[in-house]
Structures are given as structure tokens and as C-alpha cells.
Amino acid sequence: MSSSKPLPNSSSATILPPANKAFVPRDYSHGTELRFSTELPAKLQGRIPEEVFTAVIGNINQLLIAAETGSASVYLESCFACLTGYLAYICMETQYEKCLRSVSRLVEEYNRTVFGPRNLSMIDPSERGLRVIEIVLLRP
Amino acid sequence: MPKRWEVYPGKSQVLCSGRCISAKNLSVFYLTLALIVISSCLFLAFDCRLLAVTLSPSVPVLAAVQFIFVLCCLLRTTFSDPGIIPRGTPDEAAWIESQLEGPQVDRDGNYRPPVRLKDVQINGRVFKLKYCFTCKLWRPPRSSHCSTCDNCVDRFDHHCPWVGNCVGRRNYRYFYLFLISLSVYCLYVMVFGIVNLVLLSNMRKDFLMAMKESPTSVLTILVAFFSIWSVVGLGGFHTMLICRETSTNEDIKGSFNQRRHPDLINPFDQGNGLANCCFVLFGPVTPSLLNFREDEIGLGSSISLVTNNGRNGASAAAASTAVTATPAVRYSNLTRNNNDAASNSVGHVNNSVQVISESLPAQLPGDGNDVIVKNGNGAPADGVISGGTDAVGAQNSNTQSASSVHCIV
């Protein structure tokens, strides 16, 4: 065998994922809809019942999907903003922002009632750019 | 405590203390702005004097309204976040990259780079999602990485130097309305510039004399005439793209080109052009995910570095850092006490918060009893969460002001 090309990343260190965090990725199977995977991460096995976790993520998904749905009020709001040359957005809150705000409140409530007693902490997905839901394991 | 815009890693230019973002090189944008502003000022100052008197005062008024609308759309396109997806935290990157198949050397001694694609089925069509090593995230479908700005942008259309920013999901409607309104405005200026010259030449009985008397009309007509070809052309192209629910990037790559490959269906197409237009131009728009005006508290990296020879335990324990407190809730200034006042504006969505909580099983399966948190000496604390859970405590104290919501356009 000929001598192998040196690997570009020839550092001998391997990065391990953080032991005290679990991540719930985005679920793109329904397109660009805002939803997160309801599969229980391996690190949370035994920390939280699967059906509770699925219900929590499902409820968050419901709010997020509603944010992305084009309803009549959303269209009217956008038309109105367009007619004002989009100056209305300076003083108006969009439906999307209201939905994200309600997701924040829901996450806060879940941290108080579901995750906190289990020594877990859910990070609001808005804090992570809607990429993942991060769940911190506060105690091993 | 630095703000997030101060530690922004990309190549875009952040302006007004995190309220605006654009490309770094704005020289062509300044040319666009100069052309529009100077031509408009010349038209309003010189041509409109005769037109207002001879035809109607509404001519300059309409011109001014259109000019303001064009400027609003242009400035919104240039200085708003196009839909930049914030980069992944180091912990997320470590988690994702630990799952990727690493770089390998195959039997022939050739280097194979790490596999960073995954297939996802969307409404009957397989998409390949790419992992962006720069931004440390799985790129959502339809998003792309802009090399000029060094960001992943959601529903990336193209990077437009004339506008000085990427055109993506959040600012596409402003870009399109800028094109359409500028087309109409160019036509308006050209037509009324010609009308002005005609009126003047009727008064002076000599067209050349009229041109000498009003040279600015000639200038504005020429600028408008040459602009029309490109602006109207681009506007027409984007109208076609919108009706097909495709972006420029996807059109160039032929992602949904069914003529060549009949199975390349567009799962985002709503069925008819009008529905697509309405959704793209007036559909929901996400707020900026960058949150530039908030404090960069430190995202709690707890990466462990281990060496390949297997001495994991000791080095992992030594190298791991503590989790720093992160603000878990962005809008946590709305406590339960004043929720009612704020909730009325949200309507049915807020009422459902309580309903949703109640829909969770009251008796948590597998626990036997209700969840009881014990305090330091082991006695049950009657359901009150005791101290020691630092991150939970920090959540409630790290309140964010509501005024930070409308910070980035």
C-alpha cells in the first residue's frame, strides 16, 4: 500500500459531546415547518418518561407551526405593513413574535413544572436560533 | 458584558449598535442610492415646476410618495437581517460532529473527507441536508451559505451588490417590492420627463431649445430609460420565481427543474401562482434570530477534550468546564403576576398555555407519587423547588426587557 496522504486535521484530540446536555434537533420531514423531533434523546432515558417528553415537544411544536402558518390575520397584517412602507413594523409586533413569546412562556412553565423537579432545564429554542432545543442535565 | 453584536463572527457589517446589518462592501449600494436620490431630486425640483402648474399638483405628490416608498423598500432590504441562521454553540457543534462519520483513509490510501450529508424526505422528495462546518449547523432545506457575508441564510436567494446585502427569506419581499416600485417609478419619471419636454417645446416652439432650457429633464429621462431595462427585467424574473415558489439559487442549481428531471418536484409549491405570491410576499416573517441587542452571557461550553490513546477519565474531568448560567427564557420579564395584562393581546394562543399544561398527564407515569423535590436535609419541600439548581434560579433572575424585541429590522 502506498503511503497515505496525511489527514488535514492531524490533531490527535477528539472532541466529545458535552456530558450534561441533550439536544433535540429540528425535524425537517414536513418541510421547512418549524418543528422539533419528538424522539427522546439517549441522555434523557430514565430521567423523564417518554410520553411526557413527547407531549412537551408536541405542544411546543404546535405553537411553532402556528407561527409559520399563513392565516388571514397574518396576511392582513403584512398588507397593512406594506401600505405603510413597512414603517408600521417599528411599532407593531408581528404574529410570529407573539407566537415565539408564547413559546418562551410555555418553556418557562415546563421548566417550573416538568423539568425543574427532575433536575433538568430546557433552553428556549429562540436562544439557540431555532436550531435545537437544548436540555441541560443539572445533576448527573 | 458584551452584546451579541459585538462578538458576531461573520463578515457582515453590523450598524447602529446591533440594530442593522448589511454587507461589508456597500460601494455599489451607494451608487444605487445616489442614482435614485439625485434623479428624483432633479425631477422634483425642475420638471415638476411646470408639470404641477400645467397638469396637476398631484404629479409631484405622487412622485414624492413613490420616491419615499422606493427608499423605504431599498433601506429595508439593505439593512435588515436577510434570515441569517445564528451559528451553533460549541456544545452543539461537538454533539453533531461526534455523530458524523469522521475523516478516513480508504484501502488505496486516499483521504475521504468527513461525511456531512444526511437525507431527509420532504413531501415525497428526498433532500440532502448539508452540515455547515463554518456555522456548525445542519443547513435547513432551501438555505445556503453566503461566502461574501460568511453566514448561512434561510431561503437564500442571492447576494445582491446593488442592494448591499444578501437577499433571503426575511428581506425577499422588500427586495421584490423595491424592484416593482422602482420599475413603476422609473416609468413614471421617464414619461413625465418626456411630457415636461414636450410641454416646454410647445411653449418655445423648438424642441432643441426646450432641451437646452431643461437639461436635467434629459438627464433624468436617460437615467430612467437605461434603468428600466434592467429593473423591469429583474422584476419580471423574480415575479416568475415567486409564482413558482423558487429562489434564484434553486433556479440556478436546477433544484426543481422538472423538464430535465420529472421527479424533482417542488414540495413548497402551493399549487397556484397567486397562492405562492401571497405566501412569499405577505406570509409570516420570522423575527431576526440573531438577537444582537442581548448580552452575550456565555453559552455554557462544557466540551471535553480527550486524547486518542484512551486516557479518557482523568483528562475529561480535568478539561471540562462548568456550565455557566444561560438565560433560558427570552421573554421572562412576563411573570405570572402580570401575565394577564400581556396575555390579552395574544388572544387564544396565551389561553392555551394553561390548557396545554393541563393536557399533560397529571400523574407522571413511573414515579408512583407526585413529584416531590427534597431540600438539603432530605425532607420533602412541599413541591417547592429548593435552591441549588443554579440554572433555574438564574433563569428567573435574568430578565430581558421587552424593549429588546424590536431591535433588528
Side-chain angles (χ1 to χ4, degrees), chain A residues 9-86:
Chain A
N9 182 15
S10 52
S11 150
S12 59
T14 307
I15 295 180
L16 283 185
N20 65 334
K21 289 189 182 177
F23 294 99
V24 180
R26 282 277 293 269
D27 176 10
Y28 291 116
S29 56
H30 292 81
T32 49
E33 246 179 23
L34 249 190
R35 60 167 74 212
F36 290 93
S37 165
T38 49
E39 198 183 311
L40 184 70
K43 288 208 178 94
L44 297 181
Q45 302 273 1
R47 295 287 292 250
I48 185 170
E50 193 169 344
E51 49 270 27
V52 172
F53 179 81
T54 307
V56 163
I57 303 293
N59 288 334
I60 291 175
N61 283 344
Q62 270 183 355
L63 288 180
L64 292 173
I65 291 164
E68 290 252 332
T69 308
S71 64
S73 59
V74 168
Y75 285 125
L76 278 173
E77 181 189 87
S78 300
C79 283
F80 170 71
C82 177
L83 289 172
T84 62
Y86 295 104

Side-chain angles (χ1 to χ4, degrees), chain B residues 38-259:
Chain B
I38 292 173
S39 312
S40 301
C41 288
L42 290 176
F43 177 76
L44 288 168
F46 296 103
D47 296 34
C48 286
R49 279 191 286 189
L50 183 62
L51 290 169
V53 166
T54 319
L55 288 181
S56 162
S58 62
V59 171
V61 168
L62 276 176
V65 166
Q66 286 181 76
F67 170 61
I68 290 169
F69 189 78
V70 165
L71 265 192
C72 282
C73 290
L74 174 63
L75 294 176
R76 271 252 166 206
T77 311
T78 305
F79 294 114
S80 63
D81 174 6
I84 294 172
I85 306 169
R87 295 191 181 190
T89 58
D91 288 335
E92 283 171 54
W95 169 66
I96 298 174
E97 288 175 11
S98 68
Q99 295 170 342
L100 296 178
E101 201 180 299
Q104 291 173 17
V105 177
D106 67 16
R107 281 174 297 179
D108 302 324
N110 299 318
Y111 167 71
R112 278 199 295 125
V115 176
R116 55 175 193 142
L117 294 174
K118 70 176 176 185
D119 286 345
V120 114
Q121 181 101 0
I122 299 175
N123 293 342
R125 156 105 192 247
V126 173
F127 276 82
K128 282 204 177 309
L129 294 191
K130 265 192 188 167
Y131 176 67
C132 182
F133 274 102
T134 311
C135 299
K136 306 292 183 199
L137 49 88
W138 283 107
R139 255 179 239 151
R142 314 194 81 181
S143 66
S144 189
H145 190 93
C146 175
S147 49
T148 313
C149 302
D150 207 22
N151 297 310
C152 276
V153 178
D154 198 7
R155 201 188 181 278
F156 179 71
D157 195 85
H158 66 286
H159 181 96
C160 186
W162 293 96
V163 148
N165 203 359
C166 291
V167 178
R169 184 176 171 189
R170 289 191 76 246
N171 66 351
Y172 187 63
R173 62 191 63 188
Y174 309 135
F175 175 72
Y176 180 73
L177 287 171
F178 165 67
L179 286 178
I180 299 302
S181 59
L182 188 60
S183 312
V184 170
Y185 186 52
C186 279
L187 206 61
Y188 186 93
V189 165
M190 193 175 77
V191 162
F192 281 101
I194 293 172
V195 164
N196 180 55
L197 277 183
V198 165
L199 286 174
L200 208 53
S201 69
N202 282 345
M203 283 159 55
R204 305 283 180 261
K205 309 284 187 234
D206 184 3
F207 191 72
L208 277 175
M209 179 75 97
M211 277 171 63
K212 275 187 202 169
E213 197 176 324
S214 183
T216 57
S217 295
V218 179
L219 185 65
T220 51
I221 290 167
L222 283 175
V223 168
F225 176 74
F226 287 114
S227 305
I228 275 179
W229 294 105
S230 44
V231 175
V232 170
L234 199 56
F237 174 65
H238 278 279
T239 307
M240 188 259 308
L241 285 183
I242 285 177
C243 291
R244 285 176 16 196
E245 242 292 25
T246 314
S247 66
T248 308
N249 196 37
E250 287 158 349
D251 189 63
I252 289 172
K253 289 199 280 196
S255 306
F256 304 132
N257 191 342
Q258 282 189 277
R259 268 180 245 164

Side-chain angles (χ1 to χ4, degrees), chain A residues 1 7 12 14 20-21 28-29 51 55 59 68 78 86 104-105 109-110 112 117-118 121 124 127 131, chain B residues 4 76 86 91-92 107 121-122 169 177 282 300 302 308 323 328 331 350 356-357 360 364-365 371 395:
Chain A
M1 184 156 50
L7 297 177
S12 59
T14 307
N20 65 334
K21 289 189 182 177
Y28 291 116
S29 56
E51 49 270 27
N59 288 334
E68 290 252 332
S78 300
Y86 295 104
S104 295
R105 276 200 296 266
E109 182 154 340
Y110 283 147
R112 194 173 25 244
R118 293 180 167 84
S121 173
D124 185 5
E127 290 291 325
R131 298 180 303 268
Chain B
R4 286 194 185 176
R76 271 252 166 206
D91 288 335
E92 283 171 54
R107 281 174 297 179
Q121 181 101 0
I122 299 175
R169 184 176 171 189
L177 287 171
F282 301 109
S302 49
N308 269 349
V323 175
Y331 300 103
N350 185 50
I356 283 170
S357 305
L360 287 182
L364 300 163
V371 175
Q395 282 170 36

